[in-house]
């Protein structure tokens, strides 16, 4: 069987599946249950300096879509509201009881060197494996000059990372906020400051819905609401894109990345790892379905690796990165056409409606006076819309019909600034 053991910036775990810093990692009871279920590691819910923060109720808002109860989750919960010493004592005990599991501690304190030095001394004494700097929370803590208020300023990211590396021997992971125009700038700053790795994405600033009776955002607190952090399956495409930007940036090429954002299955994890992530962190899926989901994630990834001939994680980590490019380097001569399998077609007409109303009028709706859906090659541009709306798997497929030649925008005749080969 495939070897799922993970070595991320010197932090070892039996598999790459870690629980992200969040309510599931708030106390020893939860973390012990997670390790019993098989999770390879945890990032302990973010610690701050005493006195502890005060949280509100309620704390969560959810987007429901197509029968899925939590397609996206919004939270307005802050960092841990438990005393610092209680957390430190539990971290020390859990690490002692589970020496083979990754124990990373998330931290967020005011942006001054002494605050970081002070908490690092106490955290390092627990025997934990690494620290993760929470530069991402877009709500509550950012109003206090922490969280994304730091993570949106590359100079602050570099400065705090340098403090942490100066005052601690622990590996330092910087958790990046997606609430920024160019994720590469803060990733570069983190590594310039000496960080050993970055993790991303933290939550996206959001309001998931408005209660039209209360006339307030949800979740509501005594009739009022606020912006929160958005996570769950809906954010996965954004996370994958941002991970790929860092993975292929010449200034951060092959730097360690821990992937976060809507991961709930082994396939989700494999996609993040193919884009360069050495470990992955899970939160919303565990909150939705419980800790036992890791069993399917472990067996699914192992079986897939066996089927592909991958013996260890490093065999496929980053394999997709060379195939991520900018639009102008795509092959403009590549041509595909839609093909409808008439044996599988259930005559629902969705392909025709979508193409007729919103695309290229390339699918007929009748033939010889009968309901019949067929592609008109002369009109089909290979956009894939019909394939995506079709409810029958593999009923509509795309067939390559070009001559195999290549021309991207930099060399295409229609580009007035094209580079003509010598």
């Amino acid at each position: 069987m495939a070897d799922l053991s993970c070595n991320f910036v010197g932090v070892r775990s039996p598999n790459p599946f870690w629980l992200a810093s969040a309510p599931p990692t708030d106390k020893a009871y939860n973390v012990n249950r997670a390790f019993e279920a098989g999770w390879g590691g945890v990032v302990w819910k973010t610690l701050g300096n005493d006195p502890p923060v005060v949280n509100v109720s309620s704390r969560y808002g959810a987007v429901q879509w197509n029968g899925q109860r939590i397609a996206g989750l919004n939270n307005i919960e802050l960092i841990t509201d438990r005393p610092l010493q209680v957390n430190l004592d539990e971290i020390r005990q859990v690490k002692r009881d589970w020496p083979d599991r990754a124990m990373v501690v998330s931290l967020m304190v005011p942006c001054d060197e002494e605050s970081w030095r002070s908490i690092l001394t106490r955290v390092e004494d627990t025997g934990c494996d690494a620290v993760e700097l929470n530069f991402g929370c877009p709500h509550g803590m950012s109003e206090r000059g922490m969280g994304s208020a730091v993570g949106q300023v590359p100079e602050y990211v570099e400065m705090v990372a340098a403090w942490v590396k100066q005052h601690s021997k622990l590996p330092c992971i910087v958790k990046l906020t997606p609430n920024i125009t160019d994720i590469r700038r803060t990733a570069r700053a983190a590594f310039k400051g000496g960080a050993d790795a970055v993790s991303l994405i933290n939550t996206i600033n959001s309001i998931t819905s408005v209660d039209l009776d209360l006339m307030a955002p949800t979740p509501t607190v005594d009739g009022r609401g606020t912006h929160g952090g958005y996570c769950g399956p809906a954010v996965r495409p954004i996370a994958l894109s941002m991970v790929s930007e860092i993975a292929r940036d010449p200034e951060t090429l092959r730097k360690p990345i821990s992937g976060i954002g809507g991961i709930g299955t082994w396939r989700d994890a494999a996609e993040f790892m193919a884009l360069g992530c050495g470990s992955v962190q899970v939160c919303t899926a565990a909150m939705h379905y419980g800790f036992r989901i890791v069993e399917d994630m472990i067996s699914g990834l192992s079986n897939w690796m066996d089927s592909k001939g991958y013996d260890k994680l490093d065999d496929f980590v980053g394999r997709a990165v060379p195939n991520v490019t900018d639009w102008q380097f795509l092959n403009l001569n590549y041509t595909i056409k839609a093909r409808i399998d008439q044996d599988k077609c259930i005559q629902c007409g969705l392909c025709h409606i979508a193409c007729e109303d919103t695309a290229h009028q390339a699918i007929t709706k009748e033939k010889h006076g009968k309901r019949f859906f067929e592609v008109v090659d002369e009109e089909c541009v290979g956009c894939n819309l019909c394939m995506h709306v079709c409810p029958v798997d593999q009923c509509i497929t795309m067939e390559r019909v070009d001559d195999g030649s290549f021309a991207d925008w930099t060399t295409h005749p229609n580009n007035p600034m094209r580079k003509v080969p010598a």
Side-chain angles (χ1 to χ4, degrees):
M1 294 179 62
D3 178 9
L4 298 190
S5 62
C6 175
N7 183 351
F8 186 76
V9 296
V11 179
R12 297 183 180 275
S13 58
N15 61 65
F17 302 114
W18 298 359
L19 285 171
S21 169
T25 63
D26 187 40
K27 59 179 72 73
Y29 177 84
N30 302 53
V31 174
N32 281 324
R33 286 178 57 83
F35 286 161
E36 289 166 2
W39 290 89
V42 301
V43 182
W44 199 277
K45 184 172 170 66
T46 306
L47 309 183
N49 288 328
D50 285 326
V53 304
V54 178
N55 273 296
V56 298
S57 66
S58 61
R59 302 176 187 180
Y60 301 120
V63 171
Q64 301 176 21
W65 176 253
N66 198 29
Q68 182 166 345
R69 294 288 293 177
I70 302 179
L73 186 70
N74 169 287
N75 89 88
I76 58 172
E77 182 167 306
L78 305 184
I79 64 176
T80 183
D81 51 17
R82 304 168 71 232
L84 177 58
Q85 191 57 51
V86 171
N87 279 293
L88 296 175
D89 291 342
E90 291 186 0
I91 291 168
R92 180 182 294 105
Q93 185 60 53
V94 173
K95 181 58 185 178
R96 187 176 301 160
D97 293 341
W98 299 89
D100 67 324
R101 308 303 171 93
M103 173 63 75
V104 181
V105 178
S106 177
L107 300 176
M108 182 194 297
V109 295
C111 200
D112 65 81
E113 186 172 2
E114 177 55 29
S115 293
W116 283 100
R117 186 202 63 76
S118 175
I119 198 168
L120 284 165
T121 300
R122 299 175 69 180
V123 169
E124 194 164 3
D125 187 55
T126 66
C128 68
D129 298 303
V131 292
E132 182 181 80
L133 314 188
N134 186 344
F135 292 159
C137 283
H139 57 279
M141 305 309 294
S142 58
E143 284 87 340
R144 310 178 196 199
M146 294 180 273
S148 63
V150 176
Q152 291 170 335
V153 183
E155 292 79 7
Y156 291 171
V157 172
E158 179 183 347
M159 177 178 67
V160 177
W163 289 342
V164 172
K165 292 304 294 182
Q166 178 183 346
H167 296 297
S168 173
K169 297 178 181 178
L170 292 171
C172 170
I173 305 168
V174 172
K175 190 173 186 179
L176 301 177
T177 176
N179 303 298
I180 193 167
T181 304
D182 188 348
I183 196 72
R184 295 173 300 179
R185 294 184 63 218
T186 46
R188 293 167 185 167
F191 287 117
K192 188 176 180 181
D196 299 282
V198 294
S199 59
L200 65 152
I201 59 175
N202 209 312
T203 53
I204 299 172
N205 203 17
S206 65
I207 290 178
T208 49
S209 63
V210 174
D211 186 316
L212 294 178
D213 293 318
L214 297 176
M215 283 296 171
T218 60
T220 56
V221 180
D222 195 21
R224 305 181 74 182
T226 186
H227 63 97
Y230 195 49
C231 55
V235 312
R236 186 168 62 249
I238 299 168
L240 287 169
S241 176
M242 290 188 168
V243 164
S244 75
E245 288 299 290
I246 294 172
R248 68 191 185 99
D249 180 11
E251 295 188 36
T252 55
L253 201 64
R254 288 183 288 277
K255 294 289 189 180
I257 303 171
S258 185
I260 314 170
I263 298 169
T265 68
W266 71 264
R267 183 177 290 276
D268 299 336
E271 291 178 6
F272 273 83
M273 299 179 80
L275 287 174
C277 295
S279 70
V280 292
Q281 299 183 33
V282 179
C283 174
T284 306
M287 295 175 71
H288 193 176
Y289 300 110
F291 289 149
R292 296 287 296 275
I293 62 168
V294 76
E295 297 174 1
D296 288 339
M297 299 173 82
I298 291 171
S299 62
L301 183 61
S302 178
N303 291 337
W304 173 76
M305 289 174 63
D306 286 341
S307 71
K308 295 294 185 180
Y310 298 134
D311 295 324
K312 57 186 183 302
L313 299 178
D314 285 345
D315 290 345
F316 76 94
V317 169
R319 290 280 298 258
V321 175
N323 293 324
V324 183
T325 189
D326 296 324
W327 190 96
Q328 65 264 31
F329 301 120
L330 298 175
N331 184 5
L332 297 177
N333 288 347
Y334 178 77
T335 306
I336 55 176
K337 303 289 183 182
R339 296 289 180 257
I340 301 175
D341 186 333
Q342 299 300 332
D343 292 332
K344 293 182 178 179
C345 180
I346 60 174
Q347 304 292 312
C348 68
L350 284 175
C351 61
H352 167 76
I353 293 169
C355 188
E356 191 72 15
D357 288 353
T358 67
H360 300 279
Q361 299 77 52
I363 297 180
T364 64
K365 64 178 180 180
E366 63 178 48
K367 187 175 184 179
H368 305 309
K370 296 182 179 180
R371 189 176 179 86
F372 189 85
F373 302 99
E374 188 173 39
V375 177
V376 181
D377 277 5
E378 292 76 14
E379 302 297 332
C380 179
V381 301
C383 71
N384 292 36
L385 177 61
C386 59
M387 181 184 74
H388 290 300
V389 302
C390 180
V392 180
D393 190 40
Q394 293 296 306
C395 177
I396 300 181
T397 55
M398 309 305 295
E399 177 185 345
R400 184 171 185 175
V401 297
D402 64 82
D403 61 7
S405 61
F406 181 91
D408 62 26
W409 182 242
T410 66
T411 59
H412 198 274
N414 287 4
N415 180 6
M417 306 295 291
R418 70 184 183 275
K419 300 175 182 178
V420 180

